[in-house]
């Protein structure tokens, strides 16, 4: 692999950095963007929506999307540079991330021309915000076990059932969802992929308050909700194939994130907080653990580069997606655990303190990190995928 950027790529990085420094509102900056990927209230949501519209006007939303869909056909290296600089600037996850990262690319692959013309242009500028209707109370890791029904009524489907853990549903205009359209078909068949207007009659959204106080997730109930037939994506009863396309994009951001910035901040705090009357940095175990985290962050970075190299060479996706999802989510849990060992009571305070100004950040890490071992496919599921599909191990 070539780890050097060309002069043209470095020029692009400088352009992006200057633009972000000049345009990103400081009150939108966050320490751990994935933890705050859904706005805490309507006011913040609307300001983030305006921020996405500004990015779109400047040509940075959907940067790598094809030009025919309103993107700028940026190459993979430019997209990586943008992602690095966006993270460095502490910018928030865009409110339209489900549309930009999942629904839009899926429609490019599976949508009809009418669907593409109707939905894709409104994704980039956050005119429409999307949520994902996959998980159900009885169908999480076993997604094919879903029971939400979509009965064929001629010109429309009649949807009844429930979704859960639906991120951002309280703000969403549309949902891309899976529903069972043939209850007699085998488990992975008889499922269809639908686009649902969240303003349709018969929809109830109930936010779920998590132990960190956030309401990222929601329950969504459908009571005789109508979905027009033209909102079916892909063939009837073959939505599982479409869903797998969406999930292939989801792996890109399902493992949490920001590990490097967290480790760097903990290294700074190790020189401030005291253990046994001395700066924590003087403890050998503290230095060893921080060094181990840095090594693991670098290993993850090189794995991402290996995945990027495959894409640049036009090779099919390798095992890196599942590996990064598994490794990233587990690393986040280890970092959170270490933060409590390093910071002690300072890591369990929900308000800034004189010694640790960002105490709430570390309390949130402790309360939030475990979710990434579940969201987007549990660690157990990822281990099965790696074992069976990559290592060729027999199914358990």
């Amino acid at each position: 692999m070539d780890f050097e950027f060309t002069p043209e790529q470095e020029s692009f990085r400088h352009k992006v950095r200057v633009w972000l420094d000049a345009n990103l509102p400081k009150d939108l900056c966050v320490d751990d963007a994935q933890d705050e990927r859904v706005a805490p209230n309507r006011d913040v949501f609307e300001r983030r929506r305006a921020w996405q519209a500004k990015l779109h006007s400047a040509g940075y939303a959907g940067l790598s999307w094809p030009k025919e869909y309103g993107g700028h056909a940026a190459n993979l290296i430019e997209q990586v540079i943008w992602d690095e600089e966006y993270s460095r600037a502490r910018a928030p996850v865009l409110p339209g991330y489900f549309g930009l990262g999942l629904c839009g690319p899926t429609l490019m692959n599976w949508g009809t021309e009418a669907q593409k013309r109707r939905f894709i242009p409104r994704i980039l500028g956050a005119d429409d915000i999307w949520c994902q209707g996959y998980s159900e109370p009885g169908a999480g890791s076993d997604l094919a076990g879903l029971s939400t029904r979509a009965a064929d009524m001629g010109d429309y489907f009649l949807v009844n059932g429930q979704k859960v853990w639906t991120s951002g549903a309280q703000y969403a205009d549309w949902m891309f969802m899976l529903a069972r359209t043939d209850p007699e078909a085998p488990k992975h068949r008889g499922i269809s992929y639908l686009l649902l207007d969240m303003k349709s009659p018969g929809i109830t959204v109930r936010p779920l308050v998590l132990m960190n106080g956030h309401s990222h997730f929601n329950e969504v109930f459908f009571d005789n909700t109508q979905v027009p037939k033209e909102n079916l994506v892909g063939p009837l009863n073959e939505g599982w194939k479409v869903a797998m396309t969406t999930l292939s994009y989801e792996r890109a951001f399902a493992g949490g994130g920001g590990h490097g910035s967290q480790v760097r901040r903990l290294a700074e705090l190790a020189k401030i907080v005291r253990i046994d009357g001395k700066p924590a940095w003087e403890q050998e175990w503290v230095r060893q653990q921080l060094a181990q985290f840095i090594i693991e962050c670098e290993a993850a970075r090189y794995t991402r580069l290996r995945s990027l190299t495959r894409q640049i060479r036009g090779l099919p996706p390798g095992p890196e997606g599942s590996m990064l999802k598994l490794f990233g989510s587990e690393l986040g849990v280890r970092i959170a655990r270490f933060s409590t060992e390093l910071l002690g009571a300072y890591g369990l305070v929900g308000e800034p303190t004189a010694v640790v100004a960002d105490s709430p950040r570390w309390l949130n890490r402790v309360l939030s990190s475990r979710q990434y071992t579940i969201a987007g496919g549990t660690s157990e599921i990822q281990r099965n995928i790696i074992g069976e599909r990559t290592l060729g191990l027999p199914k358990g």
Side-chain angles (χ1 to χ4, degrees), residues 25-65:
K26 300 306 178 187
D27 62 349
L28 289 184
C29 292
V30 292
D31 287 320
D32 297 306
Q34 279 296 323
D35 286 350
E36 302 178 53
R37 62 191 178 278
V38 176
N41 53 58
R42 176 65 65 171
D43 176 64
V44 174
F45 168 77
E46 292 298 343
R47 286 190 284 123
R48 289 184 182 180
R49 188 203 286 260
W51 166 239
Q52 181 174 329
K54 187 171 186 177
L55 285 176
H56 177 42
S57 297
Y60 291 125
L63 186 66
S64 59
W65 277 24

Short mmCIF file of all heavy atoms in Angstrom, two decimals, residues 25-65:
data_model
loop_
_atom_site.label_atom_id
_atom_site.label_comp_id
_atom_site.label_asym_id
_atom_site.label_seq_id
_atom_site.Cartn_x
_atom_site.Cartn_y
_atom_site.Cartn_z
N PRO A 25 -20.43 25.94 12.51
CA PRO A 25 -20.80 26.67 13.73
C PRO A 25 -20.25 25.96 14.97
O PRO A 25 -20.39 24.74 15.11
CB PRO A 25 -22.34 26.62 13.70
CG PRO A 25 -22.69 26.39 12.27
CD PRO A 25 -21.61 25.52 11.73
N LYS A 26 -19.60 26.71 15.83
CA LYS A 26 -18.98 26.11 17.01
C LYS A 26 -19.99 25.44 17.93
O LYS A 26 -19.66 24.46 18.61
CB LYS A 26 -18.20 27.18 17.78
CG LYS A 26 -17.08 27.83 16.96
CD LYS A 26 -16.12 26.79 16.39
CE LYS A 26 -15.04 27.45 15.54
NZ LYS A 26 -14.20 26.43 14.83
N ASP A 27 -21.21 25.94 17.94
CA ASP A 27 -22.20 25.34 18.84
C ASP A 27 -22.74 24.01 18.33
O ASP A 27 -23.53 23.35 19.01
CB ASP A 27 -23.35 26.31 19.12
CG ASP A 27 -24.11 26.68 17.85
OD1 ASP A 27 -23.66 26.36 16.74
OD2 ASP A 27 -25.18 27.31 17.98
N LEU A 28 -22.31 23.61 17.13
CA LEU A 28 -22.69 22.30 16.62
C LEU A 28 -21.60 21.25 16.84
O LEU A 28 -21.83 20.06 16.56
CB LEU A 28 -23.02 22.38 15.12
CG LEU A 28 -24.31 23.10 14.72
CD1 LEU A 28 -24.53 22.99 13.22
CD2 LEU A 28 -25.52 22.51 15.47
N CYS A 29 -20.43 21.65 17.32
CA CYS A 29 -19.33 20.72 17.52
C CYS A 29 -19.64 19.74 18.65
O CYS A 29 -20.27 20.11 19.65
CB CYS A 29 -18.04 21.47 17.82
SG CYS A 29 -17.40 22.43 16.42
N VAL A 30 -19.19 18.51 18.49
CA VAL A 30 -19.41 17.47 19.49
C VAL A 30 -18.12 16.68 19.68
O VAL A 30 -17.27 16.62 18.78
CB VAL A 30 -20.54 16.51 19.07
CG1 VAL A 30 -21.90 17.22 19.07
CG2 VAL A 30 -20.28 15.91 17.69
N ASP A 31 -17.96 16.08 20.86
CA ASP A 31 -16.75 15.29 21.13
C ASP A 31 -16.83 13.91 20.51
O ASP A 31 -15.87 13.43 19.91
CB ASP A 31 -16.53 15.18 22.64
CG ASP A 31 -16.05 16.49 23.26
OD1 ASP A 31 -15.21 17.17 22.63
OD2 ASP A 31 -16.52 16.84 24.35
N ASP A 32 -17.93 13.23 20.69
CA ASP A 32 -18.10 11.87 20.18
C ASP A 32 -19.35 11.85 19.30
O ASP A 32 -20.46 11.61 19.77
CB ASP A 32 -18.23 10.88 21.33
CG ASP A 32 -16.96 10.84 22.18
OD1 ASP A 32 -15.88 10.62 21.61
OD2 ASP A 32 -17.06 11.03 23.41
N ALA A 33 -19.14 12.10 18.02
CA ALA A 33 -20.26 12.34 17.11
C ALA A 33 -21.23 11.17 17.05
O ALA A 33 -22.45 11.37 16.99
CB ALA A 33 -19.73 12.66 15.72
N GLN A 34 -20.72 9.94 17.05
CA GLN A 34 -21.61 8.79 16.94
C GLN A 34 -22.56 8.70 18.13
O GLN A 34 -23.71 8.30 18.00
CB GLN A 34 -20.81 7.50 16.80
CG GLN A 34 -20.31 7.23 15.39
CD GLN A 34 -21.44 7.01 14.40
OE1 GLN A 34 -22.47 6.41 14.71
NE2 GLN A 34 -21.28 7.50 13.19
N ASP A 35 -22.07 9.06 19.33
CA ASP A 35 -22.93 9.02 20.51
C ASP A 35 -24.06 10.03 20.41
O ASP A 35 -25.12 9.86 21.02
CB ASP A 35 -22.12 9.31 21.77
CG ASP A 35 -21.24 8.14 22.17
OD1 ASP A 35 -21.41 7.06 21.59
OD2 ASP A 35 -20.38 8.31 23.05
N GLU A 36 -23.83 11.11 19.65
CA GLU A 36 -24.82 12.17 19.52
C GLU A 36 -25.33 12.26 18.08
O GLU A 36 -25.64 13.34 17.59
CB GLU A 36 -24.21 13.51 19.96
CG GLU A 36 -23.69 13.50 21.39
CD GLU A 36 -23.04 14.81 21.80
OE1 GLU A 36 -23.69 15.85 21.65
OE2 GLU A 36 -21.89 14.78 22.26
N ARG A 37 -25.42 11.08 17.44
CA ARG A 37 -25.76 11.08 16.01
C ARG A 37 -27.19 11.53 15.75
O ARG A 37 -27.52 11.94 14.65
CB ARG A 37 -25.53 9.69 15.42
CG ARG A 37 -26.38 8.60 16.03
CD ARG A 37 -25.91 7.21 15.59
NE ARG A 37 -26.69 6.14 16.21
CZ ARG A 37 -26.47 5.68 17.43
NH1 ARG A 37 -25.51 6.21 18.17
NH2 ARG A 37 -27.20 4.70 17.91
N VAL A 38 -28.05 11.45 16.76
CA VAL A 38 -29.41 11.96 16.67
C VAL A 38 -29.52 13.19 17.56
O VAL A 38 -29.09 13.17 18.71
CB VAL A 38 -30.45 10.90 17.09
CG1 VAL A 38 -31.85 11.49 17.08
CG2 VAL A 38 -30.38 9.69 16.17
N ALA A 39 -30.06 14.26 17.03
CA ALA A 39 -30.16 15.51 17.78
C ALA A 39 -30.97 15.34 19.05
O ALA A 39 -31.97 14.62 19.06
CB ALA A 39 -30.80 16.59 16.90
N PRO A 40 -30.57 16.00 20.15
CA PRO A 40 -31.28 15.85 21.42
C PRO A 40 -32.64 16.54 21.46
O PRO A 40 -33.47 16.23 22.30
CB PRO A 40 -30.32 16.47 22.44
CG PRO A 40 -29.54 17.47 21.65
CD PRO A 40 -29.37 16.85 20.29
N ASN A 41 -32.87 17.49 20.55
CA ASN A 41 -34.15 18.20 20.53
C ASN A 41 -34.39 18.77 19.14
O ASN A 41 -33.50 18.75 18.28
CB ASN A 41 -34.20 19.30 21.60
CG ASN A 41 -33.02 20.25 21.50
OD1 ASN A 41 -32.80 20.89 20.46
ND2 ASN A 41 -32.25 20.36 22.58
N ARG A 42 -35.56 19.31 18.92
CA ARG A 42 -35.94 19.82 17.61
C ARG A 42 -35.08 21.00 17.18
O ARG A 42 -34.73 21.14 16.01
CB ARG A 42 -37.42 20.21 17.62
CG ARG A 42 -37.93 20.86 16.35
CD ARG A 42 -37.90 19.96 15.15
NE ARG A 42 -38.79 18.82 15.25
CZ ARG A 42 -39.05 18.00 14.23
NH1 ARG A 42 -38.48 18.18 13.04
NH2 ARG A 42 -39.87 16.98 14.38
N ASP A 43 -34.71 21.87 18.11
CA ASP A 43 -33.91 23.03 17.76
C ASP A 43 -32.55 22.61 17.20
O ASP A 43 -32.11 23.12 16.16
CB ASP A 43 -33.72 23.93 18.99
CG ASP A 43 -32.81 25.12 18.69
OD1 ASP A 43 -33.18 25.96 17.86
OD2 ASP A 43 -31.72 25.20 19.30
N VAL A 44 -31.88 21.69 17.89
CA VAL A 44 -30.58 21.21 17.41
C VAL A 44 -30.75 20.49 16.08
O VAL A 44 -29.93 20.64 15.16
CB VAL A 44 -29.92 20.30 18.46
CG1 VAL A 44 -28.64 19.67 17.90
CG2 VAL A 44 -29.60 21.08 19.73
N PHE A 45 -31.81 19.72 15.96
CA PHE A 45 -32.07 19.02 14.70
C PHE A 45 -32.19 20.00 13.54
O PHE A 45 -31.59 19.80 12.48
CB PHE A 45 -33.35 18.19 14.81
CG PHE A 45 -33.85 17.68 13.49
CD1 PHE A 45 -33.24 16.61 12.87
CD2 PHE A 45 -34.92 18.30 12.85
CE1 PHE A 45 -33.70 16.14 11.64
CE2 PHE A 45 -35.38 17.85 11.63
CZ PHE A 45 -34.77 16.76 11.02
N GLU A 46 -32.95 21.06 13.72
CA GLU A 46 -33.15 22.02 12.63
C GLU A 46 -31.85 22.73 12.28
O GLU A 46 -31.59 23.04 11.12
CB GLU A 46 -34.23 23.02 12.99
CG GLU A 46 -35.64 22.43 13.08
CD GLU A 46 -36.12 21.84 11.76
OE1 GLU A 46 -35.54 22.15 10.70
OE2 GLU A 46 -37.09 21.06 11.79
N ARG A 47 -31.01 23.01 13.30
CA ARG A 47 -29.72 23.65 13.00
C ARG A 47 -28.79 22.70 12.26
O ARG A 47 -28.03 23.11 11.38
CB ARG A 47 -29.08 24.16 14.29
CG ARG A 47 -29.78 25.42 14.83
CD ARG A 47 -29.03 26.09 15.95
NE ARG A 47 -29.21 25.36 17.21
CZ ARG A 47 -28.21 24.89 17.95
NH1 ARG A 47 -26.97 25.04 17.56
NH2 ARG A 47 -28.45 24.26 19.09
N ARG A 48 -28.86 21.42 12.60
CA ARG A 48 -28.06 20.44 11.86
C ARG A 48 -28.59 20.26 10.45
O ARG A 48 -27.82 20.04 9.51
CB ARG A 48 -28.06 19.10 12.61
CG ARG A 48 -27.24 19.11 13.90
CD ARG A 48 -27.20 17.73 14.53
NE ARG A 48 -26.46 17.73 15.78
CZ ARG A 48 -26.28 16.64 16.53
NH1 ARG A 48 -26.78 15.48 16.13
NH2 ARG A 48 -25.60 16.72 17.66
N ARG A 49 -29.91 20.35 10.29
CA ARG A 49 -30.48 20.26 8.94
C ARG A 49 -29.98 21.43 8.09
O ARG A 49 -29.62 21.25 6.91
CB ARG A 49 -32.01 20.26 9.01
CG ARG A 49 -32.67 19.97 7.66
CD ARG A 49 -34.10 20.51 7.62
NE ARG A 49 -35.05 19.73 8.40
CZ ARG A 49 -35.89 18.84 7.86
NH1 ARG A 49 -35.90 18.59 6.57
NH2 ARG A 49 -36.75 18.20 8.64
N ALA A 50 -29.96 22.62 8.66
CA ALA A 50 -29.45 23.79 7.94
C ALA A 50 -27.97 23.61 7.60
O ALA A 50 -27.51 24.04 6.53
CB ALA A 50 -29.67 25.05 8.77
N TRP A 51 -27.22 22.99 8.51
CA TRP A 51 -25.80 22.73 8.27
C TRP A 51 -25.63 21.76 7.09
O TRP A 51 -24.78 21.99 6.22
CB TRP A 51 -25.17 22.16 9.54
CG TRP A 51 -23.81 21.54 9.39
CD1 TRP A 51 -23.47 20.26 9.70
CD2 TRP A 51 -22.60 22.16 8.93
NE1 TRP A 51 -22.13 20.04 9.45
CE2 TRP A 51 -21.58 21.20 8.97
CE3 TRP A 51 -22.30 23.45 8.46
CZ2 TRP A 51 -20.28 21.47 8.57
CZ3 TRP A 51 -20.99 23.72 8.06
CH2 TRP A 51 -20.00 22.75 8.13
N GLN A 52 -26.46 20.73 7.01
CA GLN A 52 -26.36 19.82 5.88
C GLN A 52 -26.70 20.53 4.58
O GLN A 52 -26.06 20.30 3.55
CB GLN A 52 -27.28 18.61 6.07
CG GLN A 52 -27.19 17.61 4.90
CD GLN A 52 -27.96 16.35 5.14
OE1 GLN A 52 -28.12 15.89 6.26
NE2 GLN A 52 -28.47 15.75 4.05
N ALA A 53 -27.71 21.40 4.60
CA ALA A 53 -28.06 22.15 3.40
C ALA A 53 -26.90 23.03 2.96
O ALA A 53 -26.63 23.18 1.75
CB ALA A 53 -29.30 23.00 3.67
N LYS A 54 -26.17 23.60 3.93
CA LYS A 54 -25.01 24.42 3.59
C LYS A 54 -23.90 23.57 2.98
O LYS A 54 -23.24 23.98 2.01
CB LYS A 54 -24.50 25.13 4.85
CG LYS A 54 -23.40 26.15 4.60
CD LYS A 54 -23.12 26.95 5.86
CE LYS A 54 -22.13 28.07 5.58
NZ LYS A 54 -21.90 28.92 6.78
N LEU A 55 -23.69 22.37 3.54
CA LEU A 55 -22.70 21.46 2.97
C LEU A 55 -23.07 21.11 1.53
O LEU A 55 -22.21 21.06 0.64
CB LEU A 55 -22.63 20.18 3.80
CG LEU A 55 -21.91 20.23 5.15
CD1 LEU A 55 -22.04 18.89 5.86
CD2 LEU A 55 -20.44 20.57 4.95
N HIS A 56 -24.36 20.88 1.30
CA HIS A 56 -24.81 20.54 -0.05
C HIS A 56 -24.55 21.69 -1.02
O HIS A 56 -24.06 21.47 -2.14
CB HIS A 56 -26.30 20.19 -0.01
CG HIS A 56 -26.88 19.88 -1.34
ND1 HIS A 56 -26.25 19.11 -2.28
CD2 HIS A 56 -28.08 20.25 -1.91
CE1 HIS A 56 -27.00 19.00 -3.35
NE2 HIS A 56 -28.12 19.69 -3.15
N SER A 57 -24.83 22.90 -0.59
CA SER A 57 -24.60 24.06 -1.46
C SER A 57 -23.13 24.21 -1.81
O SER A 57 -22.78 24.68 -2.90
CB SER A 57 -25.12 25.33 -0.77
OG SER A 57 -26.51 25.28 -0.56
N ALA A 58 -22.26 23.81 -0.86
CA ALA A 58 -20.82 23.92 -1.08
C ALA A 58 -20.25 22.72 -1.82
O ALA A 58 -19.06 22.70 -2.15
CB ALA A 58 -20.10 24.09 0.25
N GLY A 59 -21.10 21.71 -2.08
CA GLY A 59 -20.65 20.55 -2.83
C GLY A 59 -20.05 19.44 -2.00
O GLY A 59 -19.38 18.54 -2.54
N TYR A 60 -20.31 19.44 -0.69
CA TYR A 60 -19.69 18.43 0.17
C TYR A 60 -20.66 17.35 0.66
O TYR A 60 -20.22 16.35 1.22
CB TYR A 60 -19.03 19.11 1.38
CG TYR A 60 -17.81 19.93 1.01
CD1 TYR A 60 -17.72 21.27 1.36
CD2 TYR A 60 -16.76 19.35 0.31
CE1 TYR A 60 -16.60 22.02 1.03
CE2 TYR A 60 -15.65 20.10 -0.03
CZ TYR A 60 -15.56 21.43 0.34
OH TYR A 60 -14.45 22.17 0.00
N ALA A 61 -21.95 17.53 0.51
CA ALA A 61 -22.90 16.48 0.88
C ALA A 61 -23.01 15.51 -0.30
O ALA A 61 -23.18 15.92 -1.44
CB ALA A 61 -24.27 17.07 1.21
N GLY A 62 -22.91 14.21 -0.03
CA GLY A 62 -22.92 13.25 -1.12
C GLY A 62 -21.71 13.42 -2.02
O GLY A 62 -21.80 13.28 -3.24
N LEU A 63 -20.57 13.71 -1.40
CA LEU A 63 -19.36 14.04 -2.15
C LEU A 63 -19.01 12.98 -3.19
O LEU A 63 -18.66 13.30 -4.34
CB LEU A 63 -18.19 14.21 -1.17
CG LEU A 63 -16.86 14.69 -1.72
CD1 LEU A 63 -16.98 16.11 -2.24
CD2 LEU A 63 -15.78 14.62 -0.64
N SER A 64 -19.13 11.70 -2.81
CA SER A 64 -18.73 10.63 -3.72
C SER A 64 -19.90 10.07 -4.53
O SER A 64 -19.72 9.12 -5.29
CB SER A 64 -18.06 9.49 -2.93
OG SER A 64 -18.94 8.97 -1.95
N TRP A 65 -21.10 10.64 -4.36
CA TRP A 65 -22.23 10.20 -5.17
C TRP A 65 -21.98 10.49 -6.65
O TRP A 65 -21.29 11.47 -7.00
CB TRP A 65 -23.49 10.95 -4.75
CG TRP A 65 -24.20 10.40 -3.56
CD1 TRP A 65 -23.67 9.65 -2.55
CD2 TRP A 65 -25.59 10.59 -3.25
NE1 TRP A 65 -24.64 9.35 -1.63
CE2 TRP A 65 -25.82 9.91 -2.02
CE3 TRP A 65 -26.64 11.25 -3.85
CZ2 TRP A 65 -27.08 9.89 -1.42
CZ3 TRP A 65 -27.89 11.23 -3.26
CH2 TRP A 65 -28.10 10.55 -2.05
#
